[in-house]
Amino acid sequence: MNDIMKLFSLEGKTAIVTGANTGLGQGISIALAGAGAKVFGVARRSCTETLEKIKQIGGSFTEIIADLSDVSAIDTILNEVSKTASRVDILVNNAGIIKRCRAENVTYEDWDMVTDINTRMVFFLSQAVAKQWITDEKGGKIINIASMLGYQGGVYVPAYTASKSAVIGITKALANEWAHYNINVNGIAPGYFATNNTAQLRDDAERSEDILSRIPAGRWGTPEDVYGAAIFLASDASAYMHGFTIAVDGGWLAR
Ligand code: NAD
């Protein structure tokens, strides 16, 4: 491998990916493992399919079952990783939920459920990992998964929009504080991807057609479409990038 290709290699690195059993988290786990990282995937349910796909490419994957709506999951995750890895190098805060509901009907419970997982956990898991990095002075990479709704208002998803706008803000705030520790905090804002997250949207023929007609690429994204951005932000290739959220959106924001 020449020196330029080495910039993108994750050989010898350990990564945590939250929400690794399906969709984008599964895709990001495959990408990082394919680039050489030892991946620990966190999910509420078993990650059997992710494990199988990573096995097929000769990568390393270990699942950690944890409920990210509860901050006690942070200790569980870090303890599990420390059993077989000397340190964490990469954290991908991917897990997230969406609840579709008119603004006038949103309950306190639904608001908290969405923002606890999408925002609160993103911050506190990042804090826990960064504390280790600040102590060992070896730096690290945090990749936060935001959304188009970090930039736009959306329809019938106010808690989600608030939570993803916060993810873009947290990404900038943490970069300001931690860049000088050699910690890169950046984000990916996916456009419209064909995963569970958008199942309801895609089932609504009118909304689905509306969305598709606005995407310059002319199709919904697939988990493979985030491989490149994930590897870039997890690798030495992005060493001087701090606090930025990259849109991987088929051109949606360019419209
Ligand atoms: P998905 O529903 O398939 O994935 C969500 C993941 O989060 C799952 O792996 C799930 O297990 C995990 N998760 C949810 N609640 C959890 C909890 N309490 N504890 C542990 N894990 C939990 O959908 P996806 O599209 O792959 O979503 C991944 C991320 O991408 C989310 O943050 C989502 O908001 C974001 N995103 C998706 C799209 C899209 O179009 N699909 C667009 C923008 C952003």
Side-chain angles (χ1 to χ4, degrees):
M1 196 189 304
N2 68 37
D3 285 350
I4 299 293
M5 291 307 289
K6 274 189 202 149
L7 277 178
F8 296 90
S9 169
L10 302 179
E11 288 297 337
K13 305 286 186 192
T14 297
I16 297 174
V17 180
T18 66
N21 58 321
T22 53
L24 300 182
Q26 180 178 87
I28 292 167
S29 299
I30 294 168
L32 301 190
K38 184 179 166 76
V39 176
F40 290 83
V42 182
R44 266 174 313 179
R45 284 185 265 287
S46 175
C47 301
T48 319
E49 192 182 273
T50 308
L51 176 63
E52 277 313 309
K53 290 187 175 191
I54 290 179
K55 260 194 198 159
Q56 281 168 20
I57 57 168
S60 165
F61 181 85
T62 308
E63 76 175 16
I64 300 173
I65 302 294
D67 182 351
L68 293 166
S69 60
D70 183 342
V71 282
S72 69
I74 295 172
D75 283 344
T76 307
I77 295 165
L78 296 183
N79 285 339
E80 281 303 310
V81 173
S82 69
K83 286 180 186 165
T84 53
S86 56
R87 86 186 288 275
V88 176
D89 302 286
I90 300 155
L91 167 65
V92 184
N93 286 306
N94 163 79
I97 58 168
I98 191 164
K99 285 195 172 289
R100 292 180 196 282
C101 179
R102 287 176 179 272
E104 60 271 31
N105 297 330
V106 173
T107 62
Y108 294 131
E109 288 73 22
D110 283 351
W111 180 277
D112 288 348
M113 197 182 293
V114 171
T115 57
D116 278 0
I117 294 168
N118 293 11
T119 302
R120 193 164 177 257
M121 182 51 82
V122 168
F123 178 82
F124 284 105
L125 188 53
S126 300
Q127 181 195 62
V129 172
K131 275 184 187 172
Q132 299 184 342
W133 294 342
I134 290 167
T135 304
D136 76 10
E137 298 181 357
K138 290 184 182 157
K141 304 272 184 180
I142 295 175
I143 304 171
N144 295 326
I145 304 304
S147 166
M148 289 298 100
L149 300 190
Y151 303 109
Q152 301 175 307
V155 188
Y156 307 144
V157 285
Y160 184 81
T161 301
S163 73
K164 292 299 185 175
S165 304
V167 167
I168 294 177
I170 288 169
T171 301
K172 291 189 269 198
L174 297 184
N176 288 338
E177 291 200 37
W178 295 342
H180 72 104
Y181 293 117
N182 210 15
I183 298 172
N184 298 88
V185 187
N186 290 294
I188 297 174
Y192 287 84
F193 280 66
T195 66
N196 298 336
N197 177 287
T198 54
Q200 261 180 291
L201 267 187
R202 285 177 292 114
D203 286 347
D204 179 336
E206 203 178 314
R207 287 295 312 281
S208 176
E209 180 46 41
D210 245 20
I211 287 167
L212 209 48
S213 68
R214 218 208 107 145
I215 302 174
R219 63 174 178 85
W220 290 75
T222 67
E224 290 78 9
D225 289 316
V226 291
Y227 284 10
I231 292 168
F232 170 60
L233 292 180
S235 70
D236 289 345
S238 58
Y240 196 57
M241 256 189 83
H242 293 283
F244 197 72
T245 297
I246 302 176
V248 179
D249 65 350
W252 175 273
L253 286 181
R255 266 315 251 280

